[in-house]
């Protein structure tokens, strides 16, 4: 049973011009000590390419003239991902790792030949899709190699085949998510994978990082929909996945899914697809307090009636949403909630997909049965849906006025969810000082949930990169032993120091052994997933 109101959240952190509105700036200055000082970006330093003439000519012979690019703009455009630190470096703070060349193969076969050529010429290879990594996963690290290329897969952008009977689709790895959905829509199908990076990310990137989408409660995490993979390695091509289920030993495709380009380059993915939903319904609700809210989500997960999208914001994140949103009567809404016994509002977004209004109505009833939630209606849910990819644009606006703004995520079992949230929040506050730390449950399971944190603080102009690195290290130490170092952002370079604590020294050795088999000379994505040194025999 729910109580309904016409109150809705409207407005945005940013104005139509992409700038922070005055009320948002006032609020930030009051909460973070943000000064009225702008820090304009500087042009980053781009060194001359270190790719040898022989390597350039050999790569040209593989991919064709014009598809090995060493100009400044091409190289700078593939220099890192979209983390706060990446963006600072691209704005001229600190040292930016710039690839020596950008290579654009046109087929899976060409990818294999590029890798063999790079082995021959001692060139490191960083696979590059949408460039949305926020953990250093696409940083142009060369390790001990003579040069490093960004292997841009955007020419591998085909929907290869569709099997509507088996509900399978084969897609090339460089296919951007929106383009993949449009191609499948022509067949009445969908992947249903919509992370915040959706507008730029690629199918291969989803697979390489074990991505989780906002509707994963309904459609599954990306590894749940991968039926097969095609992998290019320096020692040849590897194809995996030929049946819906198998007992023919361990599932080796799971070594590829999540391998982050360290074992090979994913060139094609076979995915389980579903009929596109005809009806989608999103609603906003309010729960009183984090303990009550997380208990509600846990109950939904354990009763197996989660909405396709299930997202719970804590009191701080809900409070920021209220404070930063303009154009509606905040005080009236607060009074409305108080009258219904809500003292510490936590916003709960629920979204259901279905083939018909009747199916969505049934699923909604199953989810809400027995719950006493305060409903804020579909307008709030729709506002969230239409703005759910706005995070990167909002961060740009915040950075422009001198805010240190970054996210991190983790996951743990239900019995530790509140403990982990408190530990990470305290670590960030201790490291950043006067700041705002927000948290939400982004994904829920029968046994636990993911926690997604956003931190806002006034930027340390003297050492902006060090400011966040200290905070991220403190948060990572707080996570270690309580949860996973990453629920869906992957390991990249940033989380390598914390991986052994999670999977054990033996686990790291297993990963290193796989890398030695598939990438004997270590050209693939140095410094990611496992320390480069551990890819060589005799390191332990």
């Amino acid at each position: 049973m729910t109580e309904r109101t016409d109150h809705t959240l409207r407005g945005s952190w940013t104005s139509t011009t992409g700038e922070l509105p005055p009320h948002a700036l006032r609020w930030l200055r009051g909460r973070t000590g943000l000064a009225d000082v702008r820090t304009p970006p500087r042009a980053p330093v781009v060194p001359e390419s270190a790719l040898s003439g022989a390597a350039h000519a050999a790569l040209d012979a593989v991919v064709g003239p014009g598809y090995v690019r060493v100009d400044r703009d091409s190289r700078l455009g593939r220099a890192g991902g979209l983390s706060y630190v990446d963006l600072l470096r691209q704005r001229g703070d600190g040292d930016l790792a710039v690839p020596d060349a950008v290579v654009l193969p046109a087929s899976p076969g060409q990818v294999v030949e590029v890798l063999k050529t790079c082995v021959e010429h001692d060139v490191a290879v960083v696979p590059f899709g949408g460039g949305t990594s926020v953990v250093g996963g696409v940083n142009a690290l060369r390790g001990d190699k003579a040069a490093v290329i960004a292997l841009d897969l955007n020419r591998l952008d085909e929907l290869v085949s569709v099997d509507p009977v088996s509900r399978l689709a084969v897609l090339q790895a460089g296919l951007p998510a929106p383009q993949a959905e449009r191609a499948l829509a022509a067949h009445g199908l969908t992947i249903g994978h919509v992370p915040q990076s959706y507008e730029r990310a690629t199918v291969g990137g989803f697979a390489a990082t074990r991505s989780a989408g906002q509707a994963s409660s309904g459609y599954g995490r990306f590894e749940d929909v991968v039926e097969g993979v095609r992998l290019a390695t320096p020692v040849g091509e590897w194809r995996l996945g030929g049946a819906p289920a198998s007992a023919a030993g361990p599932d080796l495709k799971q070594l590829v899914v999540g391998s982050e380009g360290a074992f090979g380059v994913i060139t094609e993915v076979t995915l389980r697809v579903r009929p596109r939903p005809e009806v989608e319904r999103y609603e906003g609700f309010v729960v009183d307090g984090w303990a009550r809210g997380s208990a509600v989500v846990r109950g939904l997960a354990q009763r197996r009636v989660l909405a396709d999208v299930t997202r719970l914001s804590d009191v701080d994140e809900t409070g920021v949403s209220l404070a930063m949103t303009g154009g509606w009567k905040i005080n009236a809404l607060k009074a409305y909630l108080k009258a219904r016994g809500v003292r510490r509002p936590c916003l709960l977004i629920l979204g259901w997909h279905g083939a018909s209004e009747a199916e969505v109505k049934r699923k909604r009833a199953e989810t809400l049965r027995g719950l006493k939630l305060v409903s804020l209606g579909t307008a709030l849910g729709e506002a969230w849906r239409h703005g759910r990819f706005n995070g990167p644009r909002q961060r740009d606006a915040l950075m422009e006025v001198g805010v240190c703004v970054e996210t991190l995520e983790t996951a743990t079992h239900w019995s530790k969810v509140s403990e982990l949230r408190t530990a990470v929040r305290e670590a960030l506050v201790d490291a950043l000082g006067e700041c705002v730390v927000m948290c939400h449950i982004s994904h829920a399971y029968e046994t636990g949930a993911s926690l997604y944190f956003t931190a806002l603080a006034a930027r340390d102009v003297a050492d902006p990169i060090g400011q966040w690195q200290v905070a991220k290290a403190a948060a990572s130490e707080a996570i270690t032993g309580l949860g996973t170092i990453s629920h869906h952002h992957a390991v990249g370079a940033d989380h390598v120091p914390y991986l052994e604590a999670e999977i054990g020294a033996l686990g790291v050795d297993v990963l290193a052994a796989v890398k030695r088999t598939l990438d004997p000379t270590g050209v693939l994505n140095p410094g990611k997933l496992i320390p480069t040194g551990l890819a060589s025999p005799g390191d332990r």
Side-chain angles (χ1 to χ4, degrees):
M1 170 135 194
T2 61
E3 299 176 62
R4 302 188 62 80
T5 177
D6 292 328
H7 289 297
T8 58
L9 293 173
R10 302 186 186 278
S12 170
W13 282 59
T14 52
S15 68
T16 56
T17 63
E19 297 181 348
L20 288 181
H23 75 273
L25 271 173
R26 287 194 298 271
W27 183 88
L28 279 167
R29 287 169 181 154
R31 288 292 303 271
T32 67
L34 182 68
D36 188 12
V37 177
R38 290 179 181 258
T39 53
R42 304 183 301 276
V45 175
V46 179
E48 292 296 318
S49 171
L51 188 71
S52 70
H56 193 150
L59 290 167
D60 262 343
V62 174
V63 299
Y67 294 110
V68 179
R69 298 174 183 170
V70 295
D71 61 283
R72 184 183 189 278
D73 288 346
S74 293
R75 294 165 57 210
L76 189 57
R78 281 80 165 182
L82 294 179
S83 74
Y84 173 68
V85 169
D86 288 334
L87 297 181
L88 285 174
R89 288 172 174 154
Q90 291 160 14
R91 291 166 62 95
D93 286 305
D95 296 324
L96 180 66
V98 181
D100 295 299
V102 178
V103 178
L104 297 100
S107 69
Q110 284 189 4
V111 176
V112 175
E113 293 306 311
V114 166
L115 298 186
K116 291 180 179 179
T117 301
C118 287
V119 169
E120 181 181 351
H121 291 273
D122 196 37
V123 174
V125 179
V126 179
F128 197 96
T132 60
S133 174
V134 292
V135 292
V138 295
N139 288 0
L141 306 181
R142 70 180 60 195
D144 60 356
K145 303 305 174 188
V148 56
I149 66 165
L151 185 65
D152 191 320
L153 300 174
N154 79 61
R155 295 175 73 198
L156 276 70
D157 63 352
E158 298 293 326
L159 171 59
V160 178
S161 64
V162 175
D163 177 352
V165 176
S166 306
R167 288 188 181 172
L168 294 174
V170 180
L171 303 98
Q172 290 187 323
L175 192 62
Q179 190 175 329
E181 285 295 337
R182 286 194 296 270
L184 288 169
H187 300 270
L189 299 169
T190 183
I191 305 167
H193 194 73
V194 284
Q196 191 176 76
S197 61
Y198 173 82
E199 293 175 317
R200 291 183 55 169
T202 60
V203 168
F206 291 153
T209 58
R210 298 179 73 87
S211 174
Q214 293 165 344
S216 289
S217 295
Y219 294 87
R221 291 166 56 91
F222 202 74
E223 70 262 27
D224 298 327
V225 302
V226 173
E227 187 84 359
V229 290
R230 183 176 180 181
L231 187 75
T233 82
V235 295
E237 191 172 71
W238 194 18
R239 294 176 184 251
L240 290 163
S246 172
D251 185 359
L252 293 179
K253 72 174 178 288
Q254 292 301 333
L255 278 176
V256 175
V257 178
S259 60
E260 302 185 39
F263 297 161
V265 179
I266 295 171
T267 57
E268 287 182 359
V269 185
T270 302
L271 299 178
R272 300 166 189 159
V273 290
R274 297 187 185 184
R276 290 183 66 82
E278 297 293 330
V279 178
E280 297 182 17
R281 180 185 178 93
Y282 289 82
E283 291 186 52
F285 302 86
V286 170
V287 187
D288 190 22
W290 172 260
R292 169 64 179 154
S294 58
V296 165
V297 176
R298 175 171 62 85
L300 297 178
Q302 293 177 344
R303 287 196 293 122
R304 300 188 180 185
V305 291
L306 283 166
D308 296 293
V309 172
T310 304
R311 173 187 173 116
L312 174 75
S313 295
D314 70 0
V315 173
D316 297 296
E317 186 167 277
T318 301
V320 169
S321 295
L322 298 179
M324 300 292 276
T325 304
W328 57 286
K329 298 179 180 178
I330 295 176
N331 291 335
L333 178 58
K334 289 180 177 178
Y336 172 82
L337 295 176
K338 186 176 180 180
R340 280 146 186 81
V342 177
R343 299 296 186 269
R344 294 176 58 78
C346 290
L347 179 61
L348 176 64
I349 297 292
L350 299 176
W352 299 271
H353 297 180
S356 65
E357 291 282 359
E359 181 183 358
V360 168
K361 185 177 180 180
R362 174 185 58 77
K363 291 172 69 173
R364 179 183 182 277
E366 289 175 349
T367 299
L368 298 178
R369 185 174 294 119
L371 298 181
K372 295 182 179 180
L373 306 176
V374 176
S375 174
L376 298 183
T378 57
L380 187 148
E382 286 300 313
W384 176 85
R385 182 169 76 92
H386 288 294
R388 61 183 169 171
F389 305 133
N390 286 345
R393 288 178 283 278
Q394 292 168 345
R395 185 173 60 172
D396 289 344
L398 289 164
M399 288 187 67
E400 193 66 26
V401 296
V403 178
C404 168
V405 50
E406 186 56 300
T407 64
L408 59 93
E409 43 76 43
T410 179
T412 193
H413 296 125
W414 285 114
S415 58
K416 298 178 182 177
V417 161
S418 291
E419 180 185 1
L420 179 57
R421 172 178 164 272
T422 298
V424 173
R425 187 183 187 284
E426 289 179 350
L428 290 171
V429 171
D430 287 346
L432 293 171
E434 193 175 7
C435 65
V436 178
V437 178
M438 300 168 276
C439 178
H440 65 261
I441 289 177
S442 60
H443 302 79
Y445 310 92
E446 286 188 62
T447 57
S450 66
L451 296 177
Y452 192 99
F453 295 87
T454 302
L456 303 173
R459 185 183 307 154
D460 181 345
V461 178
D463 186 13
I465 291 177
Q467 176 190 24
W468 176 250
Q469 287 177 332
V470 167
K472 177 64 183 287
S476 298
E477 292 292 344
I479 289 169
T480 300
L482 285 176
T484 178
I485 196 61
S486 177
H487 172 264
H488 58 269
H489 282 169
V491 176
D494 295 358
H495 294 150
V496 166
Y498 307 98
L499 185 62
E500 184 172 324
E502 184 163 332
I503 68 173
L506 187 57
V508 173
D509 284 341
V510 170
L511 295 181
V514 173
K515 184 168 177 67
R516 286 194 296 270
T517 299
L518 298 175
D519 180 25
T521 64
V523 298
L524 288 168
N525 221 3
K528 321 297 170 49
L529 187 63
I530 51 177
T532 303
L534 294 180
S536 302
D539 283 312
R540 284 194 184 278

